[in-house]
């Protein structure tokens, strides 16, 4: 067994580092480079339901024949999906690390059928990148969350490979949500996706996209929830995502209880070769602390194992303003 090996979604990974879904995982060249530099697994760029629908609606329908429109629609849909399926097959042929495709759905019914094609193409697991922005103030949190559960139930009926759900962090009760995933047979949860955010340009007085890349400080929020979620008495794996910019950052998530750690922004900045550096940093720390395997320290500082779990519950800075301190 290699020193950095971990188990995620029931699959052995030789490193906890996973290259997360992005353009960095959209070509066979990049995927090979990720493997050569020590990635434990790769999550392919998401296949977006919205993107496919957009292509389809952009097709000129000058003939006005409904049959022709239907044909074109199907052709576009199948072509886009075919390209994706080819990438999976190619990746499975040329890589030895696990290949995890990702689909992004914006409806619960959507296109769960494609999940079957993805599984048939040889995928080791499926990640669902899913976030339904609650924009309807009349809809309760329970109603909003039901869309996730409906989607998962449909997918579970369709495929047998392990499913990981990549979620955003704006839920009223994240631990309950994860529990609900678990009872529906989800094997893993990716905490958390980092979404497109709007910003404001004061000069132009206009809305602009905020930076698409994370900073290390964004880890803190995630760390709390991984520390809490990994301490629950349920068998669901956790893949940490957001803010990992070094091997040390990855170690923090492992200590909080993550089973694997996904990396994106820092690889855009430093290239996929940086995975090697991160693996080395983790090994050096393990040597220094006398750990021979990740399982010896994974979760050591989570909500259950840490002696003072109250540190995970504290939210206010009251203590610092109190005269008793
Ligand atoms: C340019 C770019 C493209 C991305 N595309 C996807 C995607 O297709 N699917 C997905 O689930 N996440 C996507 N993400 C989110 C990343 O996978 C990751 O969860 C997020 O960037 C947080 O990790 P980081 O802090 O290591 O960057 C993308 C991120 C970036 C920066």
């Amino acid at each position: 067994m290699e020193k950095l090996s971990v188990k995620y979604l029931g699959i052995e990974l030789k490193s906890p580092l996973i290259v997360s879904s992005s353009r960095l995982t959209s070509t066979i060249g990049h995927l090979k480079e990720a493997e050569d530099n020590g990635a434990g697994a790769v999550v392919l760029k998401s296949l977006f339901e919205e993107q496919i629908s957009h292509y389809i609606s952009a097709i000129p329908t000058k003939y006005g024949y409904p049959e022709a429109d239907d044909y074109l629609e199907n052709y576009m849909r199948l072509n886009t999906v075919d390209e994706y399926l080819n990438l999976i097959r190619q990746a499975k042929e040329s890589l030895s690390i696990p290949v995890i495709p990702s689909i992004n759905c914006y409806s619960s019914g959507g296109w769960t059928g494609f999940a079957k094609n993805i599984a048939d193409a040889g995928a080791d697991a499926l990640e669902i990148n899913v976030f339904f922005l609650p924009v309807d103030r009349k809809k309760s949190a329970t109603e909003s969350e039901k869309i996730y559960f409906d989607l998962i139930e449909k997918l579970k009926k369709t495929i047998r490979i392990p499913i990981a759900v990549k979620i955003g962090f704006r839920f009223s009760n994240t631990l309950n949500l994860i529990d609900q995933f678990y009872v529906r047979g989800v094997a893993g949860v990716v905490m958390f996706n980092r979404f497109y955010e709007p910003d404001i340009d004061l000069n132009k007085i206009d809305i602009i996209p905020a930076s698409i890349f994370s900073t290390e400080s964004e880890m803190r929020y995630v760390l709390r929830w991984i520390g809490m979620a990994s301490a629950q008495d349920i068998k669901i794996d956790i893949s940490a995502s957001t803010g990992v910019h070094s091997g040390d950052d990855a170690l923090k998530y492992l200590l909080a209880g993550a089973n694997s750690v996904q990396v994106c922004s820092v690889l855009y900045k430093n290239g996929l070769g940086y995975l090697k550096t991160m693996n080395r940093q983790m090994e050096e720390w393990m040597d220094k602390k006398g750990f021979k395997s990740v399982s010896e320290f994974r979760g050591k500082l989570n909500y259950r194992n840490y002696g003072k779990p109250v540190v995970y519950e504290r939210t206010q800075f009251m203590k610092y303003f109190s005269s008793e301190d």
Side-chain angles (χ1 to χ4, degrees):
M1 194 179 71
E2 294 180 51
K3 191 168 174 172
L4 286 176
S5 70
V6 293
K7 216 168 191 181
Y8 174 58
L9 308 177
I11 311 164
E12 202 77 44
L13 313 188
K14 63 180 196 253
S15 160
L17 299 182
I18 297 177
V19 182
S20 66
S21 180
S22 66
R23 202 167 39 75
L24 293 174
T25 54
S26 63
T27 67
I28 195 67
H30 280 138
L31 298 176
K32 278 192 191 150
E33 199 183 339
E35 173 169 84
D36 291 346
N37 284 292
V42 282
V43 180
L44 304 186
K45 170 88 186 141
S46 298
L47 181 58
F48 285 87
E49 182 184 2
E50 188 178 15
Q51 182 187 5
I52 292 179
S53 304
H54 175 76
Y55 282 150
I56 290 168
S57 64
I59 302 171
T61 55
K62 62 178 179 177
Y63 304 113
Y65 297 126
E67 298 83 356
D69 293 350
D70 277 357
Y71 175 79
L72 272 175
E73 267 194 37
N74 269 333
Y75 178 78
M76 285 299 289
R77 196 183 290 269
L78 291 176
N79 238 11
T80 314
V81 174
D82 263 0
E83 261 177 40
Y84 199 72
L85 296 176
N86 276 339
L87 179 65
I88 299 170
R89 287 190 204 102
Q90 260 184 308
K92 281 307 295 173
E93 268 166 30
S94 41
L95 306 184
S96 60
I97 55 173
V99 175
I100 308 175
S102 159
I103 54 172
N104 168 273
C105 310
Y106 72 69
S107 65
S108 66
W111 54 323
T112 47
F114 290 131
K116 183 166 169 7
N117 303 36
I118 284 173
D120 291 346
D124 293 284
L126 177 69
E127 189 173 284
I128 347 171
N129 156 20
V130 54
F131 182 50
F132 303 114
L133 193 73
V135 289
D136 180 353
R137 73 183 173 86
K138 298 243 161 67
K139 215 174 198 176
S140 69
T142 309
E143 280 174 277
S144 301
E145 286 172 7
K146 190 172 175 300
I147 313 177
Y148 293 79
F149 307 145
D150 290 347
L151 172 66
I152 288 162
E153 284 165 15
K154 281 182 191 140
L155 282 170
K156 280 299 289 179
K157 282 188 194 139
T158 317
I159 54 170
R160 289 184 180 282
I161 55 173
I163 295 175
V165 187
K166 185 176 189 183
I167 52 170
F169 52 82
R170 293 179 188 86
F171 289 99
S172 46
N173 187 343
T174 304
L175 297 180
N176 176 264
L177 188 84
I178 295 172
D179 199 57
Q180 293 297 316
F181 290 164
Y182 168 71
V183 297
R184 285 168 176 82
V186 167
V189 60
V190 184
M191 299 167 70
F192 299 105
N193 205 344
R194 184 178 183 280
F195 298 109
Y196 166 90
E197 305 272 6
D199 195 0
I200 288 179
D201 183 323
L202 286 177
N203 262 338
K204 293 183 185 150
I205 314 188
D206 201 359
I207 306 281
I208 50 165
S211 168
I212 57 169
F213 298 120
S214 69
T215 60
E216 229 166 353
S217 65
E218 293 174 46
M219 276 187 70
R220 310 291 169 261
Y221 183 88
V222 185
L223 200 64
R224 175 199 301 265
W225 288 107
I226 289 181
M228 305 271 266
S230 71
Q232 306 295 301
D233 203 11
I234 55 173
K235 182 78 202 76
I236 191 164
D237 287 348
I238 295 169
S239 194
S241 169
T242 292
V244 179
H245 285 241
S246 66
D248 287 3
D249 293 340
L251 287 165
K252 290 181 189 181
Y253 278 145
L254 293 169
L255 280 162
N259 300 79
S260 67
V261 177
Q262 303 204 4
V263 199
C264 180
S265 291
V266 78
L267 300 179
Y268 268 90
K269 254 198 269 167
N270 298 344
L272 287 158
Y274 189 64
L275 286 163
K276 234 182 216 165
T277 308
M278 293 176 76
N279 276 332
R280 201 192 57 240
Q281 288 166 343
M282 286 193 288
E283 283 182 338
E284 281 171 3
W285 178 84
M286 285 171 69
D287 287 343
K288 207 160 81 188
K289 298 291 173 191
F291 292 120
K292 299 209 163 15
S293 69
V294 174
S295 59
E296 286 175 32
F297 65 90
R298 193 183 70 77
K300 198 174 161 61
L301 300 183
N302 79 5
Y303 185 64
R304 188 177 45 215
N305 298 333
Y306 187 62
K308 290 174 278 177
V310 72
V311 295
Y312 278 105
E313 288 169 12
R314 176 171 298 147
T315 52
Q316 306 296 342
F317 288 109
M318 187 173 64
K319 186 169 178 266
Y320 298 99
F321 301 118
S322 151
S323 55
E324 283 142 43
D325 271 0

